[in-house]
Amino acid sequence: MTSTAGSPAAAIAARRRQTRDKLTQLEKAIGQLRRERGRINVRAIAERAGVSATFCYENADARALIKAAVADALQRRDQGAQQEHERIEASWRERALNAEEALTRTQETVFTQRKRIGELMGRLRDVEQTAPADAAPALRTENATLKRRLDQLMHEHRSLQERLEGARSNLRFAEKRIADLEVQLLEQDQS
């Protein structure tokens, strides 16, 4: 009678050892997948640990281990995505600010040049009235040079304005893309 009574106890003990061994294998597999930055889900962990997916679903301890590992992986991925989002957003924000600063400087330069041209035009008229006729060509040449410089500055102003618009457009696109990715992450978390 003792042989039949000891047999179930030995089987139960063996079963418990197997379960502990499988749980240890699951912990090792989770650690390996984390180090390798592999995809953490029930199938991947079960395959790496060499246990069945059924064991992972049916054993409460295994289910808790996997659930914690998946939650941790999702949290790490979300943190990484958030950091990447912040890095990209800071980059675009800096570009937009730089473009706005350059545009402001160009506008100030254009305003200064227009003011200077106005002063010189006034002087030119004054000189034309008092100066001899042979001084007029030199003044006209200087006036033409100033007009060319004004045209260059206006061209630079337009170019910087276009760059600013491009930076703003890129920033809007990046924000929309990030919002779409966040929605996808939420949908994946819910499913």
Side-chain angles (χ1 to χ4, degrees), residues 51-64:
V51 300
S52 70
T54 306
F55 172 78
C56 295
Y57 287 116
E58 290 179 353
N59 185 286
D61 293 333
R63 204 171 40 246

Side-chain angles (χ1 to χ4, degrees), residues 129-150:
Q129 292 174 0
T130 59
D134 58 324
L139 292 173
R140 285 191 192 102
T141 304
E142 184 179 351
N143 187 32
T145 303
L146 289 172
K147 285 183 179 179
R148 277 194 306 277
R149 179 69 180 137
L150 177 63

Side-chain angles (χ1 to χ4, degrees), residues 58 80 83 105 129 132 138 166 170-171 183:
E58 290 179 353
Q83 289 171 350
R105 280 195 316 263
Q129 292 174 0
N170 287 340
L171 180 60
V183 167

